[in-house]
Amino acid sequence: MEESSTKEAKRRLTARGAKTRSKIVEAAADLIRVQGVGGTTLDDVVLASNVSKSQLYRHFEDKSALVRAVIEYVGDRKIAGERDRLEKVRTFAGLQRWRDAIIENNALHEGRYGCSLGSLANEVSDQDAIARLKLQDLFTAWQQLFEGVLRRFQQEGLIPQDADIMQLATGFVAAVQGGYLLAQTARDVTLMASSIDMAISYLRLLSREQVEAV
């Protein structure tokens, strides 16, 4: 009986600790989104998450460890959202809907803050090798989602079978990231729309060439 009570107490402590850790990471992610990594201090995170500094250090030995956790949290959410949208894309109409959704979402802040992953990459890639590798994995996962879209386009006969899927997918990621950066700088999401539209227009050109070749 006593052993069972001890296990239950440990379980509750573990659950409480996980909840506290999540609260810290979410608060840090919100702050970094607005203030950037360099502009966010651990004291800021303590205040925003309503935890003590000792609680924060219980979960994260330093700021770098916390930033890595933020990258994982933000990245997993970003890729999950893109997966939900992109895995449904099988036609140009579907690709247009994806384009409209991502631009509309960025327009909520007039392009301010840029891409959550791109902004983190700009700040930490040259400072933290572990963080850079995690970001690389996330961008690779995003590129693979575009590769999936393009392979489905090939299966539907929308683009040529010999089209370089990896190259096209890389171009889409670059168009999205460049669009985020332009919109962030100008506070104008029409620049992001133009960037993505160029990538889609190139696919449509391939599609026309495919039809003409038949």
Side-chain angles (χ1 to χ4, degrees), residues 17 41 50 56 69 72 88 95 116 128-129 142 161 171 179 189 198:
T41 67
N50 194 30
L56 186 147
E72 185 172 357
K88 298 172 184 175
L95 188 60
S116 54
D128 186 334
W142 201 350
Q161 292 298 310
V189 294
M198 285 289 289

Side-chain angles (χ1 to χ4, degrees), residues 95-145:
L95 188 60
Q96 188 70 31
R97 285 193 293 273
W98 162 81
R99 172 263 193 208
D100 293 346
I102 197 171
I103 291 170
E104 181 179 349
N105 184 65
N106 200 30
L108 294 175
H109 303 288
E110 297 181 320
R112 191 177 282 108
Y113 314 132
C115 172
S116 54
L117 291 185
S119 296
L120 285 165
N122 284 336
E123 287 204 76
V124 307
S125 290
D126 292 335
Q127 312 299 325
D128 186 334
I130 295 174
R132 182 185 66 77
L133 290 173
K134 176 60 179 174
L135 284 160
Q136 182 182 14
D137 288 343
L138 289 164
F139 277 110
T140 297
W142 201 350
Q143 178 175 321
Q144 288 171 344
L145 291 174

